[in-house]
Amino acid sequence: GNSVTQMEGPVTLSEEAFLTINCTYTATGYPSLFWYVQYPGEGLQLLLKATKADDKGSNKGFEATYRKETTSFHLEKGSVQVSDSAVYFCALSYNAGNMLTFGGGTRLMVKP
Amino acid sequence: NAGVMQNPRHLVRRRGQEARLRCSPMKGHSHVYWYRQLPEEGLKFMVYLQKENIIDESGMPKERFSAEFPKEGPSILRIQQVVRGDSAAYFCASSPGVSTEAFFGQGTRLTVV
């Protein structure tokens, strides 16, 4: 079956540090890939997505590239802020984002 | 345009009671999805409904759990005879079509005591 594996957290960084959160997936065919963010006490918000190999999703300074050869979709940001502290979920779907398979989530803590 | 509305936000039930979780999709959305997030875990798909129909319930526990999305009114996730292991955050998402992005509600946090 399909699965998504993320690096375990928490990830603790200082403000303006570089962020990478690893995500790999196992799936048949060509799923769409997503990163969602969950701020404390809130629901999930779509951060970015990519629908085919070599696509790069980007939003709010975050980027992730769909790598079919390594089945990966790592999340990166060049300079994190305290306000980026949240839990980040990698996910895949075969139908544009509604029935989703999620990774376990990675908590990011950014200190001033 | 209000987002996906879930209520209550927090629900406390004693073991053996029933829990009813409500989800009002965004305006114009006829597809609803329920997910469960156990403590310190990711979200797991439970059920996908369209108005008056269950499309996919492959993630629903076989017993005590049921879901509906009537022609009028919100979608309901019902858990009968709750146990401590049902304590979790339950998220609802909605979309206007089958191949479109789903938007999430803020979740209902169920605590079974």
Side-chain angles (χ1 to χ4, degrees):
Chain A
N2 303 325
S3 65
V4 177
T5 302
Q6 294 180 231
M7 61 189 290
E8 288 193 18
V11 174
T12 303
L13 297 173
S14 298
E15 208 165 21
E16 298 184 4
F18 184 86
L19 168 71
T20 300
I21 300 178
N22 290 339
C23 171
T24 57
Y25 67 91
T26 301
T28 54
Y30 304 97
S32 296
L33 301 174
F34 306 83
W35 278 101
Y36 281 82
V37 58
Q38 184 181 30
Y39 297 103
E42 300 292 326
L44 276 72
Q45 301 173 26
L46 177 64
L47 181 60
L48 54 85
K49 66 180 180 183
T51 58
K52 61 183 188 295
D54 300 326
D55 268 3
K56 177 186 283 188
S58 61
N59 185 26
K60 300 181 181 179
F62 291 89
E63 292 183 340
T65 301
Y66 189 143
R67 300 286 187 201
K68 183 172 175 293
E69 63 277 10
T70 54
T71 61
S72 65
F73 193 54
H74 304 321
L75 182 68
E76 296 182 335
K77 186 175 185 183
S79 177
V80 294
Q81 306 300 313
V82 173
S83 58
D84 293 327
S85 298
V87 181
Y88 292 81
F89 292 94
C90 185
L92 67 81
S93 171
Y94 284 98
N95 43 16
N98 33 39
M99 286 175 62
L100 293 149
T101 299
F102 284 91
T106 302
R107 183 177 301 277
L108 171 65
M109 298 170 57
V110 181
K111 297 185 175 179
Chain B
N1 186 13
V4 178
M5 304 300 293
Q6 291 188 248
N7 67 81
R9 291 290 307 275
H10 301 275
L11 181 62
V12 179
R13 285 287 177 265
R14 296 185 185 281
R15 280 178 294 171
Q17 291 185 318
E18 178 179 286
R20 280 182 177 246
L21 288 63
R22 294 175 182 76
C23 170
S24 296
M26 288 178 70
K27 188 176 180 180
H29 288 196
S30 58
H31 299 250
V32 164
Y33 316 84
W34 285 94
Y35 292 83
R36 177 166 65 174
Q37 184 180 28
L38 294 169
E40 305 301 321
E41 293 188 16
L43 281 75
K44 302 284 190 228
F45 168 77
M46 298 182 75
V47 62
Y48 163 32
L49 309 104
Q50 211 177 341
K51 283 286 188 181
E52 300 185 274
N53 291 305
I54 296 174
I55 308 300
D56 187 320
E57 56 181 349
S58 57
M60 287 279 270
K62 295 288 184 261
E63 297 177 347
R64 302 187 297 108
F65 284 71
S66 62
E68 63 177 12
F69 188 18
K71 187 176 180 181
E72 301 291 338
S75 176
I76 306 288
L77 179 67
R78 183 181 176 207
I79 311 171
Q80 295 178 290
Q81 300 174 325
V82 296
V83 301
R84 287 230 172 100
D86 297 333
S87 295
Y90 292 82
F91 289 95
C92 169
S94 74
S95 68
V98 68
S99 297
T100 52
E101 178 187 340
F103 295 84
F104 282 80
Q106 292 183 301
T108 293
R109 280 158 180 81
L110 171 65
T111 302
V112 179
V113 297

Short mmCIF file of all heavy atoms in Angstrom, two decimals, chain B residues 42-73:
data_model
loop_
_atom_site.label_atom_id
_atom_site.label_comp_id
_atom_site.label_asym_id
_atom_site.label_seq_id
_atom_site.Cartn_x
_atom_site.Cartn_y
_atom_site.Cartn_z
N GLY B 42 0.35 11.08 12.85
CA GLY B 42 -0.21 11.78 11.71
C GLY B 42 -1.68 11.48 11.55
O GLY B 42 -2.27 10.71 12.31
N LEU B 43 -2.28 12.11 10.56
CA LEU B 43 -3.69 11.90 10.31
C LEU B 43 -3.90 10.62 9.51
O LEU B 43 -3.15 10.31 8.58
CB LEU B 43 -4.27 13.06 9.51
CG LEU B 43 -4.59 14.33 10.29
CD1 LEU B 43 -3.34 15.08 10.64
CD2 LEU B 43 -5.55 15.20 9.48
N LYS B 44 -4.97 9.90 9.87
CA LYS B 44 -5.33 8.69 9.15
C LYS B 44 -6.72 8.87 8.54
O LYS B 44 -7.67 9.25 9.25
CB LYS B 44 -5.37 7.47 10.09
CG LYS B 44 -4.07 7.22 10.82
CD LYS B 44 -3.03 6.60 9.94
CE LYS B 44 -1.83 6.14 10.77
NZ LYS B 44 -0.57 6.56 10.21
N PHE B 45 -6.83 8.58 7.27
CA PHE B 45 -8.10 8.67 6.57
C PHE B 45 -9.11 7.69 7.18
O PHE B 45 -8.78 6.54 7.49
CB PHE B 45 -7.90 8.36 5.09
CG PHE B 45 -9.18 8.14 4.32
CD1 PHE B 45 -9.96 9.21 3.95
CD2 PHE B 45 -9.59 6.86 4.00
CE1 PHE B 45 -11.15 9.01 3.25
CE2 PHE B 45 -10.77 6.64 3.31
CZ PHE B 45 -11.55 7.72 2.93
N MET B 46 -10.34 8.17 7.36
CA MET B 46 -11.38 7.30 7.88
C MET B 46 -12.45 7.01 6.82
O MET B 46 -12.70 5.86 6.47
CB MET B 46 -12.06 7.94 9.10
CG MET B 46 -11.13 8.19 10.26
SD MET B 46 -11.99 8.90 11.67
CE MET B 46 -12.87 7.45 12.28
N VAL B 47 -13.07 8.09 6.30
CA VAL B 47 -14.22 7.88 5.43
C VAL B 47 -14.39 9.08 4.51
O VAL B 47 -14.04 10.21 4.86
CB VAL B 47 -15.50 7.65 6.27
CG1 VAL B 47 -15.82 8.87 7.13
CG2 VAL B 47 -16.70 7.27 5.41
N TYR B 48 -14.92 8.77 3.32
CA TYR B 48 -15.18 9.79 2.29
C TYR B 48 -16.65 9.68 1.92
O TYR B 48 -17.14 8.60 1.58
CB TYR B 48 -14.26 9.54 1.10
CG TYR B 48 -14.61 10.21 -0.21
CD1 TYR B 48 -15.23 11.45 -0.27
CD2 TYR B 48 -14.27 9.60 -1.41
CE1 TYR B 48 -15.51 12.05 -1.48
CE2 TYR B 48 -14.54 10.18 -2.63
CZ TYR B 48 -15.17 11.41 -2.66
OH TYR B 48 -15.45 12.00 -3.87
N LEU B 49 -17.35 10.82 2.01
CA LEU B 49 -18.78 10.84 1.73
C LEU B 49 -19.12 11.91 0.71
O LEU B 49 -18.48 12.97 0.68
CB LEU B 49 -19.59 11.13 3.00
CG LEU B 49 -19.32 10.30 4.24
CD1 LEU B 49 -18.51 11.11 5.24
CD2 LEU B 49 -20.59 9.83 4.88
N GLN B 50 -20.11 11.62 -0.06
CA GLN B 50 -20.75 12.61 -0.89
C GLN B 50 -22.20 12.67 -0.42
O GLN B 50 -22.66 11.75 0.26
CB GLN B 50 -20.67 12.20 -2.37
CG GLN B 50 -20.60 13.33 -3.33
CD GLN B 50 -20.44 12.86 -4.77
OE1 GLN B 50 -20.03 11.72 -5.00
NE2 GLN B 50 -20.74 13.71 -5.71
N LYS B 51 -22.90 13.71 -0.79
CA LYS B 51 -24.26 13.87 -0.28
C LYS B 51 -25.05 12.55 -0.33
O LYS B 51 -25.24 11.97 -1.41
CB LYS B 51 -25.01 14.92 -1.11
CG LYS B 51 -24.63 16.35 -0.77
CD LYS B 51 -25.22 16.78 0.55
CE LYS B 51 -24.97 18.28 0.79
NZ LYS B 51 -25.51 18.72 2.08
N GLU B 52 -25.44 12.08 0.83
CA GLU B 52 -26.28 10.88 1.01
C GLU B 52 -25.58 9.58 0.65
O GLU B 52 -26.22 8.52 0.67
CB GLU B 52 -27.59 11.01 0.22
CG GLU B 52 -28.44 12.21 0.64
CD GLU B 52 -29.78 12.25 -0.08
OE1 GLU B 52 -29.83 12.79 -1.20
OE2 GLU B 52 -30.75 11.72 0.49
N ASN B 53 -24.32 9.61 0.30
CA ASN B 53 -23.61 8.39 -0.08
C ASN B 53 -22.27 8.27 0.62
O ASN B 53 -21.55 9.26 0.77
CB ASN B 53 -23.36 8.36 -1.59
CG ASN B 53 -24.64 8.19 -2.38
OD1 ASN B 53 -25.39 7.25 -2.16
ND2 ASN B 53 -24.89 9.11 -3.28
N ILE B 54 -21.92 7.05 1.02
CA ILE B 54 -20.59 6.75 1.49
C ILE B 54 -19.79 6.23 0.30
O ILE B 54 -20.16 5.23 -0.31
CB ILE B 54 -20.60 5.70 2.62
CG1 ILE B 54 -21.32 6.27 3.85
CG2 ILE B 54 -19.17 5.29 2.98
CD1 ILE B 54 -21.51 5.26 4.96
N ILE B 55 -18.73 6.94 -0.06
CA ILE B 55 -17.94 6.58 -1.23
C ILE B 55 -16.83 5.60 -0.86
O ILE B 55 -16.55 4.64 -1.58
CB ILE B 55 -17.33 7.82 -1.91
CG1 ILE B 55 -18.42 8.87 -2.18
CG2 ILE B 55 -16.58 7.44 -3.17
CD1 ILE B 55 -19.53 8.39 -3.10
N ASP B 56 -16.16 5.85 0.24
CA ASP B 56 -15.04 5.01 0.67
C ASP B 56 -14.96 5.05 2.18
O ASP B 56 -14.83 6.11 2.75
CB ASP B 56 -13.74 5.55 0.04
CG ASP B 56 -12.54 4.64 0.30
OD1 ASP B 56 -12.40 4.09 1.41
OD2 ASP B 56 -11.71 4.50 -0.63
N GLU B 57 -15.10 3.90 2.82
CA GLU B 57 -15.02 3.84 4.28
C GLU B 57 -13.93 2.88 4.71
O GLU B 57 -14.00 2.25 5.77
CB GLU B 57 -16.36 3.46 4.89
CG GLU B 57 -16.95 2.17 4.38
CD GLU B 57 -18.30 1.85 5.00
OE1 GLU B 57 -18.70 2.52 5.99
OE2 GLU B 57 -18.97 0.93 4.50
N SER B 58 -12.89 2.76 3.90
CA SER B 58 -11.84 1.79 4.15
C SER B 58 -11.06 2.07 5.43
O SER B 58 -10.42 1.17 5.96
CB SER B 58 -10.88 1.72 2.96
OG SER B 58 -10.34 3.00 2.69
N GLY B 59 -11.10 3.28 5.93
CA GLY B 59 -10.36 3.61 7.14
C GLY B 59 -11.20 3.61 8.40
O GLY B 59 -10.68 3.91 9.49
N MET B 60 -12.43 3.26 8.29
CA MET B 60 -13.33 3.28 9.46
C MET B 60 -13.17 1.98 10.25
O MET B 60 -13.18 0.89 9.68
CB MET B 60 -14.78 3.41 9.02
CG MET B 60 -15.15 4.78 8.53
SD MET B 60 -15.49 5.91 9.87
CE MET B 60 -17.24 5.63 10.04
N PRO B 61 -13.06 2.08 11.57
CA PRO B 61 -13.12 0.86 12.38
C PRO B 61 -14.43 0.12 12.11
O PRO B 61 -15.45 0.73 11.82
CB PRO B 61 -13.06 1.40 13.81
CG PRO B 61 -12.38 2.73 13.69
CD PRO B 61 -12.83 3.28 12.38
N LYS B 62 -14.36 -1.19 12.19
CA LYS B 62 -15.51 -2.01 11.79
C LYS B 62 -16.69 -1.87 12.74
O LYS B 62 -17.84 -2.04 12.33
CB LYS B 62 -15.09 -3.47 11.70
CG LYS B 62 -14.06 -3.75 10.62
CD LYS B 62 -14.67 -3.67 9.25
CE LYS B 62 -13.68 -4.05 8.16
NZ LYS B 62 -13.10 -2.90 7.52
N GLU B 63 -16.42 -1.57 13.97
CA GLU B 63 -17.49 -1.49 14.96
C GLU B 63 -17.52 -0.12 15.61
O GLU B 63 -16.51 0.57 15.71
CB GLU B 63 -17.30 -2.57 16.04
CG GLU B 63 -17.38 -3.98 15.47
CD GLU B 63 -17.10 -5.03 16.54
OE1 GLU B 63 -16.63 -4.68 17.63
OE2 GLU B 63 -17.38 -6.21 16.26
N ARG B 64 -18.69 0.29 16.03
CA ARG B 64 -18.97 1.47 16.85
C ARG B 64 -18.89 2.79 16.08
O ARG B 64 -19.40 3.80 16.57
CB ARG B 64 -18.03 1.55 18.08
CG ARG B 64 -18.11 0.35 19.00
CD ARG B 64 -17.29 0.57 20.27
NE ARG B 64 -15.87 0.73 19.98
CZ ARG B 64 -15.21 1.88 20.07
NH1 ARG B 64 -15.83 2.99 20.45
NH2 ARG B 64 -13.91 1.93 19.81
N PHE B 65 -18.26 2.82 14.93
CA PHE B 65 -18.10 4.06 14.17
C PHE B 65 -19.05 4.07 12.97
O PHE B 65 -19.18 3.06 12.27
CB PHE B 65 -16.67 4.21 13.66
CG PHE B 65 -15.67 4.60 14.71
CD1 PHE B 65 -15.28 3.71 15.69
CD2 PHE B 65 -15.10 5.87 14.70
CE1 PHE B 65 -14.35 4.07 16.66
CE2 PHE B 65 -14.16 6.24 15.65
CZ PHE B 65 -13.80 5.34 16.63
N SER B 66 -19.67 5.22 12.74
CA SER B 66 -20.49 5.38 11.55
C SER B 66 -20.44 6.84 11.13
O SER B 66 -20.12 7.73 11.93
CB SER B 66 -21.93 4.95 11.81
OG SER B 66 -22.52 5.75 12.82
N ALA B 67 -20.74 7.08 9.86
CA ALA B 67 -20.73 8.44 9.34
C ALA B 67 -21.87 8.61 8.36
O ALA B 67 -22.28 7.66 7.70
CB ALA B 67 -19.40 8.75 8.65
N GLU B 68 -22.36 9.84 8.28
CA GLU B 68 -23.41 10.16 7.33
C GLU B 68 -23.24 11.59 6.85
O GLU B 68 -22.64 12.43 7.52
CB GLU B 68 -24.79 9.98 7.96
CG GLU B 68 -25.08 10.89 9.13
CD GLU B 68 -26.49 10.73 9.66
OE1 GLU B 68 -27.19 9.76 9.28
OE2 GLU B 68 -26.91 11.57 10.46
N PHE B 69 -23.80 11.84 5.69
CA PHE B 69 -23.80 13.20 5.12
C PHE B 69 -25.15 13.35 4.43
O PHE B 69 -25.31 13.06 3.25
CB PHE B 69 -22.65 13.34 4.13
CG PHE B 69 -22.44 14.75 3.62
CD1 PHE B 69 -22.97 15.86 4.27
CD2 PHE B 69 -21.67 14.95 2.48
CE1 PHE B 69 -22.76 17.14 3.79
CE2 PHE B 69 -21.45 16.24 1.99
CZ PHE B 69 -21.99 17.33 2.65
N PRO B 70 -26.15 13.77 5.19
CA PRO B 70 -27.51 13.83 4.65
C PRO B 70 -27.68 14.93 3.61
O PRO B 70 -26.82 15.81 3.46
CB PRO B 70 -28.36 14.11 5.89
CG PRO B 70 -27.43 14.78 6.85
CD PRO B 70 -26.07 14.19 6.59
N LYS B 71 -28.79 14.86 2.92
CA LYS B 71 -29.09 15.84 1.88
C LYS B 71 -29.10 17.25 2.47
O LYS B 71 -28.63 18.21 1.83
CB LYS B 71 -30.44 15.52 1.26
CG LYS B 71 -30.79 16.36 0.05
CD LYS B 71 -32.11 15.90 -0.56
CE LYS B 71 -32.45 16.74 -1.78
NZ LYS B 71 -33.76 16.31 -2.37
N GLU B 72 -29.63 17.39 3.64
CA GLU B 72 -29.64 18.68 4.33
C GLU B 72 -28.88 18.55 5.64
O GLU B 72 -29.03 17.56 6.34
CB GLU B 72 -31.09 19.12 4.62
CG GLU B 72 -31.96 19.26 3.37
CD GLU B 72 -31.56 20.42 2.50
OE1 GLU B 72 -30.92 21.36 3.02
OE2 GLU B 72 -31.85 20.39 1.29
N GLY B 73 -28.10 19.55 5.96
CA GLY B 73 -27.42 19.55 7.25
C GLY B 73 -25.99 19.06 7.17
O GLY B 73 -25.50 18.67 6.10
#
